[in-house]
Amino acid sequence: MDVGTIKQQIPESWKAFETLFYNSLSARYELMKEIINYSIKRTGKQVRPLLGLLLAHALTAEEDNTGRGGAVNDSAIRCAVASEMIHTATLLHDDVADEANMRRGIPSVRSLYSPSASVLLGDFWLSRAVATLIETKNFDIFSCFARSIEDLAEGEMLEMQKTADLETSYDDYIRIIRHKTASLFEATAASSAYAVNAPAEMVNAAREYACHLGLSFQMRDDIFDYSPNLNTGKVPGSDLLEGKITLPLLGAFASSSKEETNRIKEKIRSLESESASETARDRNASIITEIYDFITEKGGIEYSNRILSEEAGKAVDALSVIPDSKYRQQLVSLAIYVGSRTI
Ligand code: FPP
Ligand code: MG
């Protein structure tokens, strides 16, 4: 099942999400309007709002005789909208941190306009998210997102710190992706549970499901970087060029000697910047191919898929305390989709 099909299971609340999201795009000045219009040309999969809304339905399904999952109230819609806005803001900032030229298959705002424009548009989205959340008048919801925004920044900074010395361990990797990706999934899920006044046990289940879902989402993303045959909208090899050590490489290192690991790290150190000359780009391409071969030979992709499946399985397990409903089933489908997606 793909996200489109899952969205169709909650047509009314999805429509309410889209309406509020797109109605929040107004800006006063021409340049801001122009860049907003450009940046929404390619929307992403919108997994975070989907996760939030499905949980809101699943946590209220029992109360609703129609079986529709009734209490997807205005606060739950606002949490879904804020999560997508914060996500959009992080990508605009991330493209500056990563000096990324492309986002979702088209030139990034950073490269088409400027790094400053990308940061400022990110700030704009962040402030719109805060304004959207204020209307919920719910401090539990505010604290979910406040903590997540802090985690996002710290996760990104930890990644930067580890990238500089190529010393990312498996535990470091999990800590980084928990902060930089899973934290926003968790905030979206927990805030959605608070929005529908779910009891503490359900808030915790929602948080746990989302944490494992977020980890598997990022693991899949990191496998994409070593999947040149998939048309994911990502430029394969980017993580290596950025000096990021992610799961496929960690998996390959796990079954290599210290010497082999150091040899590969030396190769990564010798990669040159994206803006390098054509000869340097050719040299980069041949080093990247060599590292791909190393990962394939050492089973780094199989290793990553195994850990990813375990995470997706833990996400599904966390749902067991939530009463059965067609929405809970969709949350299972979402975990399966996230673990196997090709885009
Ligand atoms: C994408 O990772 C980046 C993130 C998931 C988080 C980015 C967070 C920040 C820039 C810090 C906080 C910002 C705000 C606005 C609170 P990736 O580079 O691995 O994925 P990619 O291939 O999609 O770029
Ligand atoms: Mg990036």
Side-chain angles (χ1 to χ4, degrees):
M1 203 180 281
D2 62 9
V3 267
T5 318
I6 303 176
K7 285 173 190 168
Q8 283 165 14
Q9 310 300 313
I10 48 165
E12 288 163 27
S13 45
W14 192 257
K15 183 101 202 104
F17 157 76
E18 287 187 327
T19 305
L20 184 57
F21 186 80
Y22 289 104
N23 283 349
S24 310
L25 296 176
S26 61
R28 275 171 292 182
Y29 304 116
E30 281 316 309
L31 183 60
M32 187 63 104
K33 284 186 194 167
E34 180 185 321
I35 307 180
I36 289 174
N37 283 337
Y38 177 75
S39 72
I40 57 156
K41 261 192 181 158
R42 294 276 174 102
T43 52
K45 297 166 286 297
Q46 301 176 319
V47 169
R48 293 157 192 79
L50 185 56
L51 151 76
L53 293 176
L54 280 176
L55 272 165
H57 279 281
L59 294 173
T60 53
E62 270 197 333
E63 300 161 15
D64 179 13
N65 295 332
T66 66
R68 283 162 50 221
V72 175
N73 51 25
D74 183 62
S75 292
I77 302 293
R78 286 180 180 276
C79 291
V81 167
S83 73
E84 189 60 15
M85 288 174 165
I86 296 170
H87 170 59
T88 308
T90 66
L91 296 184
L92 287 156
H93 286 192
D94 179 66
D95 286 344
V96 175
D98 290 348
E99 298 182 18
N101 290 327
M102 303 293 283
R103 171 63 63 187
R104 294 175 179 154
I106 56 173
S108 61
V109 171
R110 182 205 80 93
S111 70
L112 195 63
Y113 291 89
S114 67
S116 317
S118 199
V119 170
L120 290 169
L121 185 60
D123 294 344
F124 171 86
W125 279 114
L126 211 49
S127 56
R128 280 282 151 100
V130 173
T132 303
L133 289 171
I134 287 205
E135 295 293 316
T136 68
K137 301 182 177 65
N138 184 325
F139 280 97
D140 288 324
I141 291 177
F142 299 159
S143 62
C144 288
F145 284 106
R147 177 157 171 217
S148 168
I149 292 173
E150 186 180 323
D151 277 353
L152 290 163
E154 284 208 291
E156 189 82 352
M157 195 65 97
L158 178 61
E159 182 169 69
M160 204 178 271
Q161 178 190 320
K162 293 290 165 184
T163 298
D165 58 16
L166 287 187
E167 284 307 330
T168 311
S169 66
Y170 178 80
D171 287 348
D172 293 331
Y173 170 74
I174 297 294
R175 202 170 299 129
I176 290 168
I177 69 170
R178 171 110 202 243
H179 288 330
K180 81 167 191 177
T181 305
S183 73
L184 187 53
F185 279 70
E186 282 182 57
T188 309
S191 63
S192 200
Y194 282 124
V196 297
N197 295 314
E201 188 195 7
M202 297 301 159
V203 176
N204 290 339
R207 202 187 276 285
E208 199 183 333
Y209 165 78
C211 173
H212 293 297
L213 189 76
L215 291 175
S216 52
F217 185 91
Q218 186 63 44
M219 288 173 181
R220 191 80 193 121
D221 208 75
D222 293 338
I223 293 172
F224 284 163
D225 219 71
Y226 294 96
S227 311
N229 300 329
L230 289 179
N231 187 14
T232 62
K234 306 233 160 205
V235 183
S238 308
D239 283 347
L240 282 175
L241 285 166
E242 289 161 18
K244 288 182 191 166
I245 295 190
T246 63
L247 201 54
L249 202 48
L250 287 167
F253 288 162
S255 46
S256 303
S257 65
K258 190 108 201 88
E259 290 68 38
E260 277 177 307
T261 300
N262 286 340
R263 186 180 62 82
I264 295 297
K265 284 188 180 172
E266 260 330 298
K267 295 267 172 206
I268 300 173
R269 272 190 202 100
S270 71
L271 288 164
E272 291 172 59
S273 113
E274 281 257 288
S275 52
S277 65
E278 207 167 310
T279 352
R281 275 200 295 275
D282 288 346
R283 208 163 36 231
N284 280 351
S286 102
I287 295 172
I288 289 173
T289 307
E290 200 181 321
I291 299 175
Y292 277 177
D293 292 345
F294 165 75
I295 288 177
T296 310
E297 188 195 315
K298 298 286 181 184
I301 301 293
E302 289 80 357
Y303 169 96
S304 307
N305 279 323
R306 202 167 51 246
I307 299 202
L308 184 158
S309 305
E310 281 168 23
E311 285 302 329
K314 285 181 196 165
V316 173
D317 290 347
L319 294 173
S320 62
V321 297
I322 297 178
D324 192 21
S325 69
K326 69 173 188 171
Y327 304 104
R328 195 183 77 169
Q329 197 46 49
Q330 295 306 319
L331 288 162
V332 173
S333 301
L334 188 63
I336 296 168
Y337 161 78
V338 162
S340 59
R341 70 198 169 98
T342 52
I343 188 160

